[in-house]
Amino acid sequence: MTDRCRARDFGLAPGIFAPGANNAITDVDGVAVGHVTLIEGDATRTGVTAILPHPGNLFAERVPAGLAVMNGFGKLAGATQLTELGELETPLVLTNTLAVGRAVEALVDWTLARNPDAVSVNAVVGETNDGRLNDIRALGVTRDQVLAALDAAVPGPVAEGCVGAGTGTMAFGWKGGIGTSSRLLPAALGGWTIGALVQANYGGVLTMDGVPVGRELGKWYLKEHTDRGDADGSVMVVIATDAPLSDRNLARLASRSMAGLARTGAAFSDGSGDYAIAFSTHAGVRRDARRRAGQADVADWPNDRMSPLFVAAAEAVEEAVLNALTMATTIVGRDGRTGRRATGHAIDLDALRAVLRAHGR
């Protein structure tokens, strides 16, 4: 089988805008990503991914943020305060469903250690259920591993596939994982950067840059009218931008990212929790002490110039999902529900190349 590679190595380049230097969420200046990957024994296949919006004290210099929920079958900690106040005061952590509590504890500890006057912390933790390959009931993720992911966060290239919170995930019946991508807007449209990172653990009928790959390779939701396994799951989408957006327009940006999931063939099924969080790193919209005291002017990109950012977000999310699939490797684990050995097969890249050639790619 062909070595794992990113979607662009196959000529898959969704959309009209060019990617950034790393084609990753970290192309937004200041954003850092860290992973802890847990592959232990024959049953633990899980991990943690941490996203830091900027290298400063996030609790003191909060970033505006918005949330979009397509289907709320999930355990997104911190969601209501994020929506109410429109800001992030901690990094974002992604992990598995039953590790959310420990991740919250770790984020609170991490934030309190850096802010001796803090008496309330809104830790934001997203999740997907990796129990098809991971013995999720064994509670393999610890507080210290969450702290390690936060401490490991760096800018630059981002590891993809079976890493961090994507270690045990599945997507469209194949091995899923972490994927990332970015888009650069031309100067005439603001010159902004939009980056996306996904924890892909959902299903439907896989489409890759318009090519019906799932149908061609014989794997899709409802093929047998009884197979729900390729649709249920969840997906967490994180979008970063350096555009000076209000929390209201960030919520709009997050909602448009769902178009990127739809283009991949997402079923948005009953058992899938589909969430997107968008934040802005622009210095002019940060909620620092001067802003909270009403002493700072606030930059705000106008509504009628948002459409190019909407397009870029959808494109970046679509490609991030494709990268999660093409970079993932086959993982053998244990189904957390049945206790039986389970295999998450990576999509066959040689077969994928043949499908793409047949469709003129």
Side-chain angles (χ1 to χ4, degrees):
M1 182 181 291
T2 305
D3 290 339
R4 310 313 290 181
C5 52
R6 304 185 83 190
R8 284 189 178 250
D9 296 320
F10 296 93
L12 295 169
I16 58 174
F17 293 122
N22 296 302
N23 194 12
I25 192 171
T26 49
D27 288 325
V28 177
D29 189 42
V31 175
V33 175
H35 298 300
V36 165
T37 300
L38 300 175
I39 299 178
E40 300 172 349
D42 64 356
T44 299
R45 306 289 185 268
T46 192
V48 183
T49 295
I51 303 102
L52 278 62
H54 65 69
N57 185 331
L58 189 58
F59 190 80
E61 296 182 66
R62 302 169 190 181
V63 296
L67 169 67
V69 182
M70 176 64 78
N71 188 49
F73 197 119
K75 288 75 184 167
L76 177 55
T80 55
Q81 184 171 317
L82 189 163
T83 300
E84 183 71 20
L85 301 185
E87 62 187 24
L88 288 173
E89 60 186 43
T90 71
L92 289 160
V93 167
L94 307 178
T95 187
N96 76 58
T97 305
L98 298 188
V100 169
R102 288 181 298 286
V104 167
E105 178 186 1
L107 256 182
V108 169
D109 289 348
W110 190 89
T111 303
L112 291 178
R114 289 157 177 78
N115 297 276
D117 296 332
V119 294
S120 174
V121 176
N122 187 50
V124 178
V125 178
E127 56 79 28
T128 70
N129 193 313
D130 56 15
R132 283 174 284 182
L133 292 175
N134 173 50
D135 183 8
I136 194 169
R137 291 174 58 89
L139 308 179
V141 174
T142 68
R143 168 189 169 277
D144 287 345
Q145 289 159 348
V146 177
L147 294 173
L150 290 162
D151 291 340
V154 292
V158 177
E160 296 173 292
C162 304
V163 295
T167 303
T169 63
M170 295 287 292
F172 299 99
W174 286 285
K175 183 66 189 70
I178 294 293
T180 189
S181 184
S182 68
R183 291 295 185 273
L184 305 179
L185 294 185
L189 299 176
W192 310 117
T193 301
I194 297 88
L197 181 143
V198 300
Q199 180 188 17
N201 191 47
Y202 67 103
V205 185
L206 177 61
T207 302
M208 304 184 84
D209 196 13
V211 178
V213 171
R215 284 189 294 165
E216 295 282 3
L217 295 183
K219 191 190 295 286
W220 69 86
Y221 174 51
L222 296 178
K223 179 182 177 184
E224 304 291 335
H225 298 288
T226 57
D227 179 13
R228 290 172 49 91
D230 291 350
D232 284 348
S234 291
V235 58
M236 284 295 310
V237 175
V238 179
I239 299 169
T241 184
D242 55 3
L245 303 187
S246 65
D247 54 276
R248 177 182 54 80
N249 269 332
L250 285 162
R252 297 177 73 204
L253 189 68
S255 69
R256 272 35 172 221
S257 74
M258 296 297 174
L261 297 179
R263 293 172 191 169
T264 67
F268 298 111
S269 63
D270 174 70
S272 180
D274 311 308
Y275 298 87
I277 295 172
F279 62 84
S280 171
T281 65
H282 193 285
V285 293
R286 287 191 191 171
R287 278 81 180 279
D288 58 15
R290 291 184 68 246
R291 166 85 182 267
R292 292 196 292 274
Q295 299 171 350
D297 294 331
V298 179
D300 189 357
W301 195 244
N303 292 335
D304 59 7
R305 299 196 68 188
M306 284 297 299
S307 292
L309 282 83
F310 295 158
V311 172
E315 290 180 8
V317 169
E318 179 181 5
E319 186 168 347
V321 172
L322 305 190
N323 285 335
L325 284 159
T326 61
M327 289 295 290
T329 55
T330 295
I331 291 285
V332 177
R334 184 185 298 168
D335 190 308
R337 297 161 297 183
T338 67
R340 297 173 183 167
R341 178 186 173 95
T343 301
H345 293 281
I347 192 168
D348 187 318
L349 298 189
D350 292 327
L352 174 58
R353 287 186 190 276
V355 170
L356 296 177
R357 290 193 190 102
H359 283 263
R361 301 298 182 92

